[in-house]
Amino acid sequence: MSQSGPTIVSDGAAPTACVLLIGNELLSGKTQDANLQFLGRELAGLGIRLGECRVVRDDHDAIIAHLNECRARYTYVFTTGGIGPTHDDITAEAVAAAFGVPLVVDAEAKRRLEAYGRELNEARLKMARVPEGASLIDNPISHAPGFRMDNVFVLAGIPSIARAMFSAAAAELRHGAAIHSASVDVWLREGDFAAVLERIAAAHADVEIGSYPFARDGRFGANLVVRGTDADIVEAVLARITAEMDALGGEPERRT
Amino acid sequence: MSQSGPTIVSDGAAPTACVLLIGNELLSGKTQDANLQFLGRELAGLGIRLGECRVVRDDHDAIIAHLNECRARYTYVFTTGGIGPTHDDITAEAVAAAFGVPLVVDAEAKRRLEAYGRELNEARLKMARVPEGASLIDNPISHAPGFRMDNVFVLAGIPSIARAMFSAAAAELRHGAAIHSASVDVWLREGDFAAVLERIAAAHADVEIGSYPFARDGRFGANLVVRGTDADIVEAVLARITAEMDALGGEPERRT
């Protein structure tokens, strides 16, 4: 393992992804991100494994470095943020620099911005600039498009627009085997069932088993999640977990 | 700029930080993160610049690679998640491996877990294991401690416990100049004021100016934020922005 991070193999069967959330406001505590969970859920539904996410400042060199690292490592990279008209919107310029191509005015993007009806001043024209060779991603909400450059999908930061752009781009993605998820709540402390759960996990390396503790109404419990590409196996493992937790007095309650 | 990412210089005046959020549930869409915004706000209050955040899977090699990359690059690294008793809690083991030291039972951590009164079985004893040489971070809520290893602070993932642990660890952090923030809402579209704001930003490189668009009650506006270490300069720049936006008809409203 090199210092530059893990290598995630993308073979034909298992597309992978990385999300880059771009914006100082996400690191200063000003803004609560609302895009990662949405993207994670959507990608899981398409069978695309989200390997990591990075939250990056509005910094030209930082965006370039992270983007070049991640686009080499994952099947797809999705960025959010920094494609508006103001001085702190530098994502398109950084993506162009990362690919070593100029930023050019896209005629179709310009046409859409003009059709939207507001004065196409210098600032708004900035939103029609994309890296040379990029294709547009539709924005049905505010019309200024996102874009795709090779395996990199550049989306807006505003959650409603990011979602609409992702939906517009999803048809271009290679899907993997859909990931099935099933879960059960148990009213036990993790320390009281960890050994049992570990034994089950060791016997079922073909699924991913997670334990997420909670406190509710003054009682402690945990949500036990099984995820995998074979729905029958996922259900069989959940059934075994449910039975063993019941035997421990955990009063299991199916969740999803 | 190398492929392995930007170098952020940490001189005596400006401590920096990176946050690693560890957990498959944050990447699968199951769980909305609630730790980054809190840590970002707290670090800003201490004058510690949060340079980036990474969301990492519960994967031994991935945690090691990201941790080694980030601990070399930032003054401090804060991790959340993966220090409970179940099989998917692998953070302590990965941190020990990243530092090349064994994982050992800490006598004081063991004492605290025993004093908490529950049977100290093999699973719970796991929570007393820390990398050799680590110091404990108090957990006033559920007693299983976090730990500090060199410049890496390992916190729980449950938000209430992560917050309590951060508060316990904050006294050990070197502070920078506190970052002041002030902001104003304006009722203009970004494209209509971007040129004016860019001119102001170019004249004040000593502060960071951000523009965050919103729609409220069917009207479009933007929150304009000025951040910097000199409160007088922050206020002077905000006053200039307010006056110029007023001249554009933006009906500026002071926020913070």
Side-chain angles (χ1 to χ4, degrees):
Chain A
M1 186 67 49
S2 81
Q3 286 272 331
S4 65
T7 296
I8 294 178
V9 176
S10 297
D11 59 27
T16 61
C18 174
V19 166
L20 297 185
L21 306 174
I22 300 172
N24 292 352
E25 73 278 16
L26 300 170
L27 293 164
S28 70
K30 171 182 163 52
T31 301
Q32 169 66 53
D33 164 62
N35 287 324
L36 175 59
Q37 186 178 26
F38 167 78
L39 292 170
R41 197 180 287 149
E42 293 293 311
L43 290 166
L46 299 175
I48 298 170
R49 180 185 168 89
L50 180 54
E52 68 174 288
C53 167
R54 299 187 186 190
V55 189
V56 182
R57 299 185 69 87
D58 299 309
D59 177 289
H60 187 73
D61 292 340
I63 297 170
I64 293 171
H66 287 296
L67 184 62
N68 278 338
E69 192 176 327
C70 294
R71 71 187 177 92
R73 194 175 293 168
Y74 295 95
T75 315
Y76 301 116
V77 176
F78 299 87
T79 77
T80 67
I83 61 169
T86 56
H87 67 283
D88 54 339
D89 290 307
I90 64 171
T91 298
E93 195 178 314
V95 172
F99 279 92
V101 300
L103 201 62
V104 297
V105 171
D106 182 277
E108 169 62 15
K110 187 175 171 213
R111 193 195 63 72
R112 291 185 196 178
L113 289 167
E114 282 167 344
Y116 189 45
R118 299 202 167 259
E119 177 213 352
L120 194 55
N121 58 20
E122 189 62 27
R124 288 209 173 85
L125 190 60
K126 185 176 156 185
M127 294 191 286
R129 291 205 183 91
V130 302
E132 194 171 66
S135 57
L136 301 185
I137 298 175
D138 292 347
N139 170 358
I141 295 176
S142 61
H143 305 278
F147 60 86
R148 174 184 184 169
M149 183 73 191
D150 195 4
N151 63 336
V152 178
F153 293 76
V154 176
L155 313 178
I158 296 175
S160 59
I161 304 180
R163 287 165 195 220
M165 287 182 174
F166 182 86
S167 298
E172 300 180 25
L173 303 174
R174 181 163 64 78
H175 298 200
I179 295 159
H180 299 274
S181 179
S183 81
V184 63
D185 282 350
V186 299
W187 295 97
L188 294 167
R189 286 169 185 264
E190 283 191 308
D192 290 323
F193 66 72
V196 169
L197 193 66
E198 180 165 23
R199 191 161 37 71
I200 298 172
H204 296 282
D206 45 353
V207 296
E208 188 180 289
I209 301 176
S211 173
Y212 306 104
F214 60 75
R216 215 179 279 155
D217 305 327
R219 290 177 80 193
F220 291 91
N223 179 234
L224 306 182
V225 180
V226 183
R227 290 163 54 84
T229 53
D230 186 319
D232 292 340
I233 294 176
V234 166
E235 288 298 334
V237 175
L238 193 75
R240 179 171 169 191
I241 290 173
T242 302
E244 297 216 28
M245 294 299 151
D246 196 30
L248 288 176
E251 304 166 50
E253 296 170 20
R254 174 76 186 234
R255 300 297 293 185
T256 54
Chain B
M1 186 68 49
S2 81
Q3 286 272 331
S4 65
T7 296
I8 294 179
V9 176
S10 296
D11 59 27
T16 62
C18 174
V19 166
L20 297 185
L21 306 173
I22 300 172
N24 292 353
E25 73 278 16
L26 300 170
L27 293 164
S28 70
K30 171 182 163 52
T31 301
Q32 169 67 52
D33 164 62
N35 286 325
L36 175 60
Q37 186 178 26
F38 167 78
L39 291 170
R41 196 180 287 148
E42 292 293 310
L43 290 166
L46 298 174
I48 299 170
R49 180 184 168 89
L50 180 54
E52 68 174 287
C53 167
R54 300 186 185 189
V55 189
V56 181
R57 299 184 70 86
D58 298 310
D59 176 289
H60 187 72
D61 293 339
I63 297 170
I64 293 171
H66 287 296
L67 184 62
N68 278 338
E69 192 176 326
C70 294
R71 71 187 176 94
R73 194 175 292 167
Y74 295 94
T75 314
Y76 301 116
V77 176
F78 298 87
T79 78
T80 68
I83 61 169
T86 56
H87 67 283
D88 54 339
D89 290 306
I90 63 171
T91 298
E93 195 178 314
V95 172
F99 280 91
V101 300
L103 201 62
V104 296
V105 172
D106 182 278
E108 169 62 15
K110 188 176 172 214
R111 193 195 62 73
R112 290 185 197 178
L113 289 166
E114 282 168 344
Y116 189 45
R118 299 199 168 260
E119 177 212 351
L120 194 55
N121 58 20
E122 188 61 28
R124 288 209 172 86
L125 190 60
K126 186 177 157 185
M127 295 191 285
R129 291 204 182 92
V130 301
E132 194 171 66
S135 57
L136 301 184
I137 298 175
D138 292 347
N139 170 358
I141 295 177
S142 61
H143 305 279
F147 60 86
R148 173 184 184 170
M149 183 73 191
D150 195 4
N151 64 336
V152 177
F153 294 76
V154 176
L155 314 178
I158 296 174
S160 59
I161 303 179
R163 287 164 196 223
M165 286 182 174
F166 182 86
S167 298
E172 300 180 26
L173 302 173
R174 182 164 62 79
H175 298 200
I179 295 159
H180 299 274
S181 179
S183 81
V184 64
D185 282 351
V186 299
W187 295 98
L188 294 167
R189 285 169 185 266
E190 283 191 307
D192 290 322
F193 66 72
V196 168
L197 192 66
E198 180 164 24
R199 191 161 37 71
I200 298 172
H204 295 283
D206 47 351
V207 296
E208 187 180 291
I209 301 177
S211 173
Y212 306 104
F214 59 75
R216 215 180 279 155
D217 305 326
R219 289 176 80 193
F220 290 92
N223 179 234
L224 306 182
V225 180
V226 183
R227 289 164 54 85
T229 53
D230 185 318
D232 292 341
I233 293 177
V234 167
E235 288 297 333
V237 175
L238 193 76
R240 180 171 168 191
I241 290 173
T242 302
E244 297 216 27
M245 294 300 150
D246 196 29
L248 289 175
E251 305 166 48
E253 296 169 21
R254 174 78 187 234
R255 300 298 293 187
T256 55

